[in-house]
Amino acid sequence: MKPALQFRLHQQLTLTPQLQQAIRLLQLSQLELEAELRQIAESNPLLEFAEEIEDEETVDRESAESEYPSAESIADAGSSPNDGDDGGEWADGVVAESPIDFSSSSAGSSGSVGSRGDDDFEPQNAAPETLQQHLLWQLNMASFNPRQHLIATVLIDFLNADGYLSEGLDAVLAVLPADLKAGLDEVDAVRRRLQGFDPAGVGSLDLRDCLRVQLEQFDPGTPQRELALRMVDSELELLARNDIARLARRLRVSEDEVAAAAILIRSLDPRPGAALDATPVEYVAPDVYALRDGSRWRVSLNPDAQPRLGLNQHYCGLIAQARGEDASWMRGQLQEARWLIKSLESRAETLLKVAEAIVRRQSAFLDYGPEAMHPLVLREVAEEVGMHESTISRVTTRKYIHTPRGTFELKYFFSSGVSTEDGGSASATAIQAMLRKLIDAEDARRPLSDQAIAEELQRKGIQVARRTVAKYREGLRIPSSSERQRAS
């Protein structure tokens, strides 16, 4: 082929670094955004958080006041009755040339201004004790020989969050030192001693084992203790279904005795280790607020959730004095800082715009509750605000809105629709709310089946099949009608 030059005109979408940064910031949650900005601010000296600026101004003001006393403090010191003849010199306006240090005269006083007492330390919450720490403390207090102590330590390390030995004794035996030459019976004997620690039942292999250990710790004279042990050993499946009549027939006792034993078993803890779960509780801070203002709903950003990032004026003033590579580097850092601040402003504007569109679409939910929720998809909000669906998806992920009905993730307001008789549609969230309301109002002795619920919804104009009702019921973690009847 003969080489030749050709002109070609085509369009191409290019993501600039600034646009990539804006997209990344848009999809971050509040905590992730805070961590990201902290990391960027550490590498860019021209960026500074607003609270850091305020702290520096406060420190400068306090240091200046402590170094140079005010006229009022000098006058107060000069008018002290304990100064004797020196008071006349202060009254005549004779002032010492060097600043006066008041801290030396009261350095030994516990109430001095410069001292740091116990009240200056902020209270710190102690780290929660884990299940393993709690058991190891008891192990060190128990009468175990060194060999048993080592086996018990490995057993404690294998416990899961609920306190169970889910991996079995073989896994424990495999990690023990070979020179220990421990057998399966010896490991199991140590495990049984461990089950008597607090909380009772830790180190169990399964639920039956856990409940049995807790029942054995009751006084032998406890009513229905022996019957409860028999039920746990052989009829745990029937007990889970609350089939009192069949339990009574199999155990050859009265239904009242079975009911009393079942109450005793339900008082036990099936997850003994969960009480010492050290997982910290995470609280959700809303990104936006929705509040009623007269006849309309108003949406506003949460000012505490918006990072206040600004330019460090000191370093900005040094750019004009810098030369060579330093000047070029600082100008580049300044440009990046301005891009970042602009991206944060764009993120806040986009979040507010999308939240306002969602509130307009779902104002009925805010007025009347979940049963009034309208079907809503990303495309509808994208068309209203003039953005792409992917942008709406990023904005609504892990962003929360606080309303008088509670705090919800923005994605909560999106759901598919089910056709109604009048040609409209009802959202899946509204149907789930109606389903829960029907089940809450049902007769406990004659619970509604999925088919009966579907027929009731159809009478209300919602065309829904029985399998759809079953899917929504399982999504709400509501048992079937037969299980609800046995539990009543």
Side-chain angles (χ1 to χ4, degrees), residues 420-462:
T420 59
E421 287 185 350
D422 57 2
S425 60
S427 71
T429 304
I431 296 174
Q432 290 176 359
M434 295 178 188
L435 186 149
R436 182 179 290 278
K437 186 176 181 180
L438 289 172
I439 292 178
D440 291 341
E442 69 183 2
D443 186 357
R445 294 171 296 180
R446 300 179 60 187
L448 296 172
S449 64
D450 293 341
Q451 182 61 37
I453 295 175
E455 294 173 356
E456 184 65 27
L457 292 174
Q458 289 174 4
R459 281 193 288 270
K460 294 184 178 182
I462 300 175

Side-chain angles (χ1 to χ4, degrees), residues 166-244:
S166 57
E167 298 186 31
L169 295 178
D170 293 332
V172 177
L173 195 61
V175 301
L176 288 174
D179 56 355
L180 193 65
K181 297 181 180 179
L184 201 61
D185 294 338
E186 184 181 7
V187 175
D188 189 54
V190 175
R191 181 189 68 85
R192 292 185 182 277
R193 290 188 62 183
L194 190 65
Q195 286 181 297
F197 283 15
D198 177 63
V202 293
S204 298
L205 298 174
D206 51 30
L207 177 61
R208 179 176 283 105
D209 187 23
C210 179
L211 297 179
R212 186 192 306 112
V213 169
Q214 296 181 52
L215 284 171
E216 289 173 349
Q217 292 192 355
F218 280 92
D219 186 89
T222 303
Q224 309 305 332
R225 173 179 176 269
E226 297 303 323
L227 179 59
L229 283 169
R230 291 171 56 193
M231 292 169 59
V232 168
D233 286 337
S234 59
E235 305 296 343
L236 196 58
E237 290 75 14
L238 285 179
L239 179 63
R241 296 199 295 267
N242 201 32
D243 197 341
I244 302 297

Side-chain angles (χ1 to χ4, degrees), residues 103-159:
S103 60
S104 59
S105 61
S106 57
S109 174
S110 61
S112 63
V113 177
S115 64
R116 291 186 60 85
D118 295 338
D119 295 338
D120 293 326
F121 292 98
E122 296 183 0
Q124 301 290 333
N125 294 330
E129 186 181 35
T130 64
L131 175 64
Q132 278 72 19
Q133 291 172 344
H134 185 62
L135 293 175
L136 287 174
W137 174 80
Q138 297 177 73
L139 176 62
N140 294 330
M141 298 293 125
S143 57
F144 282 78
N145 59 42
R147 183 184 182 90
Q148 295 171 335
H149 191 282
L150 175 60
I151 297 174
T153 302
V154 176
L155 285 169
I156 291 173
D157 190 55
F158 266 82
L159 298 179

Side-chain angles (χ1 to χ4, degrees), residues 309-352:
L309 203 63
L311 296 177
N312 188 308
Q313 299 302 321
H314 173 70
Y315 283 101
C316 289
L318 294 178
I319 295 179
Q321 305 174 11
R323 295 290 183 273
E325 294 183 358
D326 293 340
S328 176
W329 180 83
M330 293 188 69
R331 291 192 189 95
Q333 296 295 312
L334 176 61
Q335 187 67 30
E336 291 182 5
R338 288 173 175 170
W339 285 337
L340 179 61
I341 294 174
K342 186 176 181 181
S343 297
L344 290 175
E345 294 175 354
S346 175
R347 178 184 185 273
E349 293 174 0
T350 304
L351 178 59
L352 181 61

